[in-house]
Amino acid sequence: MDGAMILEWVIKSIFLILVMTGGFAYVTLYERKVLARIQVRIGPNRAGPFGVLQPVADGIKLIFKEELVPAKADKLIFTLAPVLTVIPALIITAVVPWGTEVTLFGRTIKLYLADINIAVLYLMAVTSISIYGIALAGWSSNNKYATLGGLRATAQMISYELALGFAMIVPVMMAGSMSLVDIVESQKPVWFVFVQPLAFLIYFIAALAEINRSPFDMPEAEQELTAGYHTEYSGMKFALFFMAEYIKMIAISMIGSSLFLGGYRGPFVDQLPALGPLYLFIKVAIVLFVIIWIRATLPRIRYDRLMQFGWKVLFPLALLNVFVTGVVLILVGG
Amino acid sequence: MTEIRDVDVAELRHLVSERALKGETMLLNMGPQHPSTHGVLRLMLELDGEIVVNCIPDIGFLHTGVEKNMESKTYQKAEVMTDRLDYMNPIGNNLVYCLAVEKLCDLDVPLRAQGVRVILAELTRLNSHLLWLGTSGLDIGAMSLFLYCMREREMILDIFEMCSGQRMMTTYIRPGGLWRDVPVEFEGAVRDFIELMPRRIEEYESLLNENPLFLERTAGIGVLTYENAIRWGATGPIARGSGVKFDLRKERPYMGYEQYDFDIPTRTEGDVRARYLVRMDEMRESLKIIRQALDKLPYGPVRSNNRKFIPPPRSEIGVSMEALIHHFKLWTEGFNVPKGAIYTAIESPRGELGVYLESDGGPKPYRVHYRTPSFAALQLMPLLAKGHFIADLVAIIASIDIVLGDTDR
């Protein structure tokens, strides 16, 4: 392992983190703009042309806000919780490939940070960590609303993790590998979403629940629990939770695109690998649009119904889907 | 006069269950600052997990003393305060007050004024129902609906502004008629609105009616039985959602409601969804009434000609000494109302809105009391909320459609 390679990794890591944090800022703007259009409003348009500087303004505002810590809060955990939430969200996308290889400055650079052979397992593991942040935030705030929010998040997580896992196993079975690069490459003939629409649907629903997005946004149901687990947070600590939520939105879209929508694959990508990131970007933007669209349209599902739905509908369906896929694969392959 | 004293906490113990005192259940203070208590309502909740064991409404955070203040103002000036009671139904508040004054003074109201009053009262009902629909949608997480409702509500407020110069606190209806005639654009604007509105109502319904998530959140939630609806004095859409077919516009018609053809939508389920459906149908009925009233609207004066109560027109003041004296007397001393007491009620968007007015023969009311539907509906909260989730509690609060200005006065 030479020094240039380490440098390459460092540069790619920094680039990825910058893209994710920058992406977070612009997803908030994207969401506000799309919501505004759906709701016959205009949306932010004061800061910069078409409001493009709005996220910057929001960020500056949040940095200068006073950070309040409730008197009876557990101060260490209270401070640690947002960090615990945001870091898994940031490192999640390390295994998602952006493209194949490009030649830059006479050097072949792979367009992914890591191609580990247990990538899907890694995804499952890392996404689960961030729930600790939410549960601990709810508990350490010493606020009843926040506690309820944290509890809801935990219950929701347990109910949806399994279905999500089983939905992710299907592409693994189809590709015969856990590496996301292999999974994307094996979608060369046809995207998995066309072969496995049910798995994609389960993945999408479970992922929405996983990242607490509407209609599964119970942990932060504003009308019920004021702001749920982050009721007591202010300033940058609050911004970190916000950031985690939106980065997870991007990550979930990226993973979903890679697993089911052919990732960076698209017309002419074999001839011109630089197109890969562009295709991925377009797919992510479309998935994000659907997530926002759902938020604008659907009412919130009730907490107990969500659990019922998770255990009684999604989980058996996912299990059945895995079973059927397995049988078909053996029959076809064998 | 009773003495004001502090309440000892021990006296309030009976409000919660034994388990709360042992710490097995959690007490949660919801409000007065909370996004979905529709104003400054405070609810003390006793929770077992997320299930509501006890719900204790606490009101008085928006107490304005309107009723008491009205006693120190002349009849004309006191009316301005009524707008501020139920701020979603200002025209209805004016109307019921004016009806009471008119009955006490035996004032006649010209037919054109009656027609305009009906149109405006029904527009106010639509205005109130639209806001209710938007906010209750927001409460269960359907956020776009709120903005769609606001879009249509804006048209209604524009009509109010066109008539009175004010969007909400209009004080447009006056004892003996109206402040002045409606402008020429009024009819066109109202017609545009009632042409557009049925389509928009269908649009809202397409978002919610058959939506399984909405059904789950509303069907079978907060059930109020027929018996309980009557026993607890529920009126308006809440009672009609429980199968009580009672609407003052039909039972005790005022302002010529007997000449319009409309139905009273009722449902028998008594749950949140039934109340939702009743209100949606009521919006359609209101549109029907507005259309008929607009078609029948006669031309003519909009104020009674009784100069002892109604100020003379500007044109007369310059030429008639008597008119000048009347004008001066009416705006300084006010008019004397014959001694007596009266109770008048109308059907407000929330139910029976009544006013009790007592006169001692002078120019100021001796006692004014409003019988407000929100106050009566709020006492249903403990009954409806028991055994439901917090998420449902929010839907129930929205479905009984309280306005805190209406509750505390």
Side-chain angles (χ1 to χ4, degrees), chain B residues 311-379:
Chain B
R314 187 77 190 79
S315 55
E316 265 179 45
I317 297 173
V319 290
S320 158
M321 186 59 172
E322 199 153 336
L324 186 64
I325 292 170
H326 277 141
H327 187 268
F328 180 76
K329 288 281 275 183
L330 279 171
W331 291 118
T332 50
E333 190 194 342
F335 51 77
N336 289 338
V337 170
K339 196 169 175 176
I342 195 160
Y343 175 81
T344 323
I346 63 159
E347 186 72 24
S348 96
R350 267 159 279 284
E352 178 177 342
L353 175 68
V355 63
Y356 171 78
L357 197 62
E358 191 168 339
S359 165
D360 56 359
K364 292 171 183 173
Y366 178 74
R367 175 80 174 99
V368 187
H369 173 72
Y370 266 84
R371 187 268 178 212
T372 52
S374 294
F375 185 75
L378 200 58
Q379 59 187 351

Side-chain angles (χ1 to χ4, degrees), chain B residues 63-327:
Chain B
H63 189 80
T64 44
V66 163
E67 285 175 358
K68 188 70 191 165
N69 266 328
M70 283 167 81
E71 291 170 16
S72 58
K73 296 195 166 10
T74 60
Y75 281 94
Q76 298 107 310
K77 291 174 186 167
E79 194 200 336
V80 181
M81 312 213 68
T82 63
D83 285 301
R84 276 86 183 158
L85 281 165
D86 177 352
Y87 42 79
M88 286 323 301
N89 179 31
I91 295 214
N93 300 337
N94 291 168
L95 178 60
V96 68
Y97 174 81
C98 292
L99 285 175
V101 175
E102 281 155 11
K103 271 190 192 163
L104 272 179
C105 309
D106 207 13
L107 268 173
D108 58 306
V109 180
L111 284 175
R112 182 171 174 82
Q114 293 197 8
V116 173
R117 281 178 176 190
V118 166
I119 295 170
L120 290 176
E122 292 307 316
L123 281 175
T124 315
R125 188 182 316 277
L126 280 162
N127 169 17
S128 172
H129 280 3
L130 279 173
L131 187 88
W132 155 80
L133 177 65
T135 50
S136 58
L138 205 58
D139 282 343
I140 58 168
M143 64 189 298
S144 295
L145 190 61
F146 177 71
L147 288 132
Y148 299 148
C149 290
M150 284 293 133
R151 177 182 58 188
E152 272 72 72
R153 183 169 172 258
E154 200 66 11
M155 297 179 73
I156 300 179
L157 293 182
D158 284 345
I159 294 173
F160 290 167
E161 190 179 6
M162 184 192 288
C163 300
S164 67
Q166 279 287 338
R167 291 162 66 79
M168 281 182 77
M169 308 304 170
T170 55
T171 325
Y172 186 61
I173 294 173
R174 300 285 168 88
L178 304 170
W179 169 51
R180 62 174 189 190
D181 203 351
V182 288
V184 280
E185 307 88 20
F186 174 77
E187 193 177 333
V190 176
R191 281 211 193 277
D192 284 350
F193 177 73
I194 56 176
E195 285 309 313
L196 176 82
M197 201 52 202
R199 280 206 309 277
R200 291 285 159 84
I201 295 177
E202 269 166 35
E203 205 177 299
Y204 310 146
E205 290 190 327
S206 71
L207 270 174
L208 292 181
N209 269 15
E210 301 301 322
N211 186 331
L213 292 180
F214 178 74
L215 287 177
E216 256 179 19
R217 292 298 304 275
T218 52
I221 305 295
V223 177
L224 178 69
T225 57
Y226 181 88
E227 289 76 27
N228 275 338
I230 291 174
R231 199 174 293 151
W232 289 78
T235 48
I238 306 169
R240 291 195 283 273
S242 300
V244 184
K245 195 164 182 153
F246 181 79
D247 189 318
L248 284 168
R249 290 174 295 175
K250 281 269 194 219
E251 305 297 324
R252 269 178 272 154
Y254 50 91
M255 281 297 109
Y257 266 110
E258 64 275 6
Q259 52 183 315
Y260 305 117
D261 170 40
F262 63 99
D263 298 323
I264 309 171
T266 48
R267 307 284 301 186
T268 47
E269 297 92 336
D271 55 5
V272 174
R273 181 157 188 270
R275 298 194 269 277
Y276 159 80
L277 291 170
V278 163
R279 288 200 181 94
M280 294 307 269
D281 287 340
E282 265 180 27
M283 295 215 275
R284 294 206 174 86
E285 297 303 320
S286 285
L287 289 174
K288 248 160 80 179
I289 298 173
I290 295 173
R291 179 167 289 125
Q292 292 171 41
L294 210 54
D295 289 341
K296 282 186 189 166
L297 196 63
Y299 285 96
V302 291
R303 279 199 225 177
S304 160
N305 220 15
N306 191 338
R307 288 292 144 77
K308 293 293 167 206
F309 297 99
I310 311 300
R314 187 77 190 79
S315 55
E316 265 179 45
I317 297 173
V319 290
S320 158
M321 186 59 172
E322 199 153 336
L324 186 64
I325 292 170
H326 277 141
H327 187 268

Side-chain angles (χ1 to χ4, degrees), chain A residues 22-49:
Chain A
F24 141 71
Y26 280 90
V27 170
T28 59
L29 185 67
Y30 181 50
E31 170 163 41
R32 290 172 68 176
K33 282 278 185 191
V34 172
L35 274 182
R37 285 293 161 201
I38 293 176
Q39 297 170 344
V40 289
R41 293 185 285 126
I42 297 166
N45 66 348
R46 298 287 101 176

Side-chain angles (χ1 to χ4, degrees), chain A residues 35 38-41 144-145 148 152 215 222-224 226 295-305, chain B residues 27-30 34-36 50 138-141 143-144 147-148 211 213 216-217 221 391-392 394:
Chain A
L35 274 182
I38 293 176
Q39 297 170 344
V40 289
R41 293 185 285 126
K144 287 170 181 170
Y145 287 116
L148 283 174
R152 280 182 176 195
E222 178 184 293
Q223 286 77 23
E224 296 154 26
T226 54
R295 177 174 174 204
T297 318
L298 290 182
R300 187 180 301 115
I301 187 170
R302 210 175 65 197
Y303 159 74
D304 62 317
R305 298 283 177 172
Chain B
L27 285 177
L28 181 70
N29 183 28
M30 189 168 166
H34 188 281
S36 54
E50 282 213 17
L138 205 58
D139 282 343
I140 58 168
M143 64 189 298
S144 295
L147 288 132
Y148 299 148
N211 186 331
L213 292 180
E216 256 179 19
R217 292 298 304 275
I221 305 295
D392 297 332
V394 169

